[in-house]
Every structure is written in structure tokens, then in C-alpha cells.
Amino acid sequence: MQLTLDHPDLVSLAAGFTDNESLPFEETRELLNEILGSPRTRRIALQYGTTGGDPHLRRLTADRIRKLDSAEGAPFNALADASARATNAKATQRSHPVAANEVYSPERVLITNGSQQLLYMLAECLCDPGDIVLVEDPTYFVYLGIAQSHGFSCRGIRLEADGIDLSHLEQTLEGLRRSGELKRVKMLYLVSYWQNPTGITTSFVKKAAALAMLKRFERAAGHPIYLLEDAAYRELRFAGHDVASALAAEGAKERVIYTGTYSKPFATGARVGFGILPKPLMTVVSRVKANHDFGTSNLLQQLLCRALATCRYERHLPALRRRYARKAATMTEAMREHFPEAVRWQEPCGGLYVWARCPRPVRSGVNSRLFKRALEREVLYVPGELCYADNPARRKPNHEMRISFGSATESDIRTGIARLGATLREL
Ligand SMILES: Cc1ncc(COP(=O)(O)O)c(C=O)c1O
């Protein structure tokens, strides 16, 4: 972010910012006018509220996630990509059990300042220095920062095209059991939809199997091992059907923590996120939240509440998804034109990122020639190495790049990819 400010001609394909053009300016102005025009809502909006969040917003949030998990949400295809549709359709057929209503009770919903705040508070509540959290390999690099600041370590679980490698998860848990470290394992953290950074979506089958596996190891651990599902990109799907969350799996009520956000699909700057938590955790995390801020800004909660209740939120989504579909296509078209053939990637069907893999001898890290030459050519990406947890048993992969089509304009995407392609060819 600082580099972008220091170099005005720099094209940043690094930040996870959302698209500027499709931010809901008009809707927000209308919503705020309505909120401040009504004697009832303007008093709520400008007054303190409760730590857990506005009751109406908590109910709307619980209902929304329950509906998504029951496949009541309509499929959406902004891409004319039949194979992507087929893959997603297959995932859905296997993936929508009847979710238990009690899991989606508003009392289990906590409204937060972005889902980021909740990830941080959960770490504070559940982890002590020296503890272990299992993460995808690679994972959301900001989460690795949370781990570092709390003194717990992350262990990477290999990723496959449909989510974590379950046999590697089992091997890792078994290894930790044998070494006596299972007592330190508190959670498995999954970014399950259009993952940051790889764009992979975890199938429901894998989420349910992972949850059951964690349960099996609990006796040896001597405490609950939670599945923390980070669904930050769930609504940014531009092809196919949704996949049910782990909340719909057996045993979810006691062990699944779901974090979601209204940032990415609506107004990033409003910073309204939420979680659905097991009751005991709800109590503990609410206490920490009260210490932080007494509750999320009521004005902004009212904004989201009204956007949801009047269906403006829902109506905003199709245009947003079409826009990301177009920007993703612009990016991958430019990559096909400018990148050397040896660079590989998956066509995205949602989220904000393309994960590009160079051949192994190429290094993409912060100290690499590629990164430095790219900066000289005024283009920025996120080096893949930042997304891997430390592991003394191996060197971090250092040949990948996370490139984002979120905030850059289509013209900047073309320019940035051409610059990156020229750098790759040169090296
Ligand atoms: C995987 C993931 N989780 C959570 C967040 C936090 O988002 P917010 O705090 O805006 O809800 C982000 C933001 O980029 C993210 O990429």
C-alpha cells in the first residue's frame, strides 16, 4: 500500500481491495437518507448498541447464511464457461444437506468490525503462545501475521483442487499425537471459498470429513478442536452454484466457527463482518469485543441492515459478479498473451485472485530479481512465499504470485500484466 502511494504510476495487482467502480455509492446515499430520515432508525444509528450487534442485523445474517446453506440461493453464471459450470454443479449435487435450523440462530451471530476483527479475537480467546493452528498451505497471509503476534505457530496442510488433502491432515494430526503436541492444537483454519491466495473452493464433503476427523482426535487432545471456516469470498462467485458451509455438517453446532463479511460483496469501507459461533465461544468472544469497542458502529450496522431488509444488497450482487467475471477474464486473457507458456494458473470462477505458478527455478519472493525488476517496471504482486507457514522441515515454495483483479481498472490490469509478462520473459 505504501509503495502504491510512493509510486503513482505503479500498477498494483497486489492489494485485496475491491472494485472501486462498483461500490454502492447511490444505494448507500439513499440508505443513509432513509436511516436518518426515520425517527426510529436514526436514534438507533447514532446511539450505542449491544456488543453482539443489532438484533435485526443478526437475524437477517443468520437467515441469509441458513438460506445459502440450504441451496435456496439461485445459481449464478456470469461466465459462459461450461466446464466451470459443470464442476460447480457437481459440487452442489453432493453438497447441500438439510442444515439444522438451530445452528443458524441469531443468538449465535456476532457482528464485528470486518471479519478480520473476529479472526483476531478468536486467536486471542482460543490460543496461547506455543499453540498450533492448522492452516491451508498456502493460506491468507494476514492470518499468519495474527499467529505471529500471538506467539502460536501454523502448520500447513497441502491443498488439492477441491480443498485440503485429507490424508495429509490425518498424517499431521497423527504425527502431532505421537509427538505429544496434539494438546497444543486448537483449530483448523480454512478459507473455504475462492481461497485467498489460490482461488480454490473447498467441497462440502471435505469440510464435513475434516470436521469428523478433528473430532476423532479430540480425546487425545483433551479439548475441543474447532474448524474455523473463513467464508470472506463466498458471495463473490461468478459461475456455478454455491457450496454449503461446514455449518451444515454433522457436529457443526459445537465445533464450527463461521466468519463472513459484508465488506467484499457490498462496501469494503463500511467494515461490517460477522461470525456464527458455538455458544460458549460466543460468550467469551463477546467479552473481548466489549473490551475492544462495546460493539460495531451502529450507523454502519443500520446501513447493512437496511440494505439487506430492502433487498438492495441482493440486487447489488449480480452486477458486482458480472464485473468481477469481466475483470478476471481480462486478466487471464492478458496473461495468455504476455506470460511465458511455462507459467500456470486456474481460470477463476470467483473471488479476487489468480494464483500464478512459475517453473520452480524461478523465484518470485520479496528479495528475488523478478520482484525487484517488476517493481522497476512499476507493477506489484504478492509474492507467494508470504502465504506459507514456517516449517523447519522444508524451504518455503518461492515460485508463485498472487495477482488480484479486484481494484485495478481493466486498462491497468492489461498494463500490469503486460509489464509482469515482459519481466518474466526478460528473466
Ligand atoms: C481470507 C480473508 N479473510 C478475511 C478478510 C478480512 O476481511 P474484512 O475484515 O473486510 O471482513 C480478508 C480480507 O482481505 C481475507 O482475504
Side-chain angles (χ1 to χ4, degrees):
M1 288 177 197
Q2 188 59 46
L3 280 169
T4 320
L5 293 176
D6 294 345
H7 300 253
D9 292 329
L10 184 85
V11 173
S12 176
L13 303 176
F17 282 30
T18 48
D19 180 62
N20 283 313
E21 297 302 307
S22 52
L23 290 171
F25 304 114
E26 274 311 304
E27 292 93 325
T28 302
R29 197 170 52 79
E30 280 170 26
L31 288 163
L32 288 175
N33 269 338
E34 290 167 22
I35 290 162
L36 297 175
S38 143
R40 191 183 63 86
T41 52
R42 71 182 175 208
R43 189 189 50 74
I44 300 173
L46 298 183
Q47 186 52 275
Y48 276 139
T50 54
T51 308
D54 180 79
H56 193 192
L57 182 58
R58 291 168 80 188
R59 185 157 49 74
L60 289 168
T61 301
D63 274 0
R64 183 160 185 86
I65 305 303
R66 183 186 53 74
K67 277 191 189 147
L68 285 175
D69 279 354
S70 323
E72 288 171 32
F76 187 87
N77 293 302
L79 277 185
D81 179 342
S83 67
R85 282 207 297 274
T87 315
N88 280 292
K90 228 163 62 194
T92 326
Q93 279 161 22
R94 294 182 266 119
S95 70
H96 282 100
V98 181
N101 272 337
E102 53 186 10
V103 173
Y104 306 90
S105 129
E107 292 85 62
R108 289 164 43 90
V109 174
L110 180 68
I111 306 294
T112 53
N113 279 303
S115 51
Q116 190 64 34
Q117 184 189 31
L118 186 50
L119 295 177
Y120 185 91
M121 291 191 301
L122 285 164
E124 194 172 321
C125 293
L126 283 171
C127 300
D128 294 313
D131 280 350
I132 296 169
V133 172
L134 306 174
V135 299
E136 291 148 322
D137 196 44
T139 187
Y140 173 38
F141 64 85
V142 179
Y143 193 78
L144 297 174
I146 295 180
Q148 197 174 34
S149 65
H150 283 85
F152 62 84
S153 68
C154 290
R155 297 279 168 94
I157 307 295
R158 273 194 301 271
L159 268 178
E160 300 175 317
D162 59 346
I164 46 163
D165 176 346
L166 290 171
S167 55
H168 191 218
L169 175 64
E170 186 162 29
Q171 247 174 42
T172 307
L173 285 163
E174 193 49 50
L176 289 163
R177 190 182 64 75
R178 269 196 251 110
S179 65
E181 292 171 284
L182 202 59
K183 295 192 283 296
R184 308 245 54 163
V185 176
K186 296 293 173 65
M187 290 187 266
L188 167 65
Y189 170 62
L190 298 182
V191 183
S192 53
Y193 298 86
W194 320 115
Q195 195 231 22
N196 179 1
T198 61
I200 287 172
T201 292
T202 308
S203 68
F204 175 73
V205 174
K206 281 207 161 168
K207 289 187 269 199
L211 185 62
M213 195 181 291
L214 296 177
K215 186 84 192 159
R216 272 203 284 121
F217 281 87
E218 278 192 1
R219 187 193 289 238
H223 58 239
I225 306 178
Y226 292 97
L227 171 56
L228 169 55
E229 175 164 30
D230 177 341
Y233 297 90
R234 184 172 191 177
E235 305 246 40
L236 301 192
R237 164 180 50 90
F238 38 81
H241 291 72
D242 186 43
V243 172
S245 78
L247 289 169
E250 208 175 313
K253 192 172 160 217
E254 290 80 28
R255 292 293 183 266
V256 172
I257 307 164
Y258 179 97
T259 63
T261 186
Y262 292 118
S263 278
K264 309 273 176 195
F266 196 69
T268 328
R271 313 292 305 114
V272 179
F274 58 90
I276 302 184
L277 284 75
K279 272 274 171 62
L281 281 184
M282 184 72 194
T283 310
V284 178
V285 178
S286 300
R287 281 187 196 138
V288 171
K289 175 136 173 86
N291 290 342
H292 279 202
D293 57 20
F294 307 153
T296 301
S297 150
N298 255 344
L299 177 61
L300 299 169
Q301 288 193 74
Q302 283 308 304
L303 176 71
L304 266 307
C305 199
R306 202 164 180 95
L308 286 160
T310 59
C311 295
R312 263 116 137 185
Y313 177 85
E314 192 66 48
R315 285 202 296 272
H316 177 67
L317 288 177
L320 186 74
R321 290 166 168 179
R322 270 194 294 277
R323 184 151 176 91
Y324 284 130
R326 205 169 56 237
K327 291 178 83 174
T330 300
M331 178 167 272
T332 50
E333 262 166 48
M335 287 168 77
R336 274 190 291 279
E337 187 182 336
H338 296 288
F339 278 19
E341 234 174 59
V343 181
R344 306 266 175 235
W345 65 87
Q346 291 289 326
E347 294 291 318
C349 298
L352 298 179
Y353 311 108
V354 180
W355 183 241
R357 299 190 315 277
C358 301
R360 284 265 174 185
V362 176
R363 304 205 158 196
S364 60
V366 196
N367 293 316
S368 67
R369 274 178 61 207
L370 177 64
F371 188 75
K372 289 178 185 154
R373 286 293 292 142
L375 256 188
E376 280 161 23
R377 285 186 192 264
E378 306 219 275
V379 58
L380 192 63
Y381 62 85
V382 171
E385 63 169 1
L386 299 181
C387 308
Y388 287 93
D390 289 330
N391 176 352
R394 65 120 198 249
R395 283 175 73 151
K396 280 187 193 183
N398 186 6
H399 61 291
E400 294 151 319
M401 302 179 270
R402 191 198 78 174
I403 33 191
S404 170
F405 50 85
S407 64
T409 61
E410 284 181 71
S411 152
D412 277 351
I413 289 174
R414 282 191 214 98
T415 309
I417 293 294
R419 288 178 186 173
L420 200 48
T423 316
L424 283 162
R425 285 182 187 282
E426 178 194 313
L427 296 181

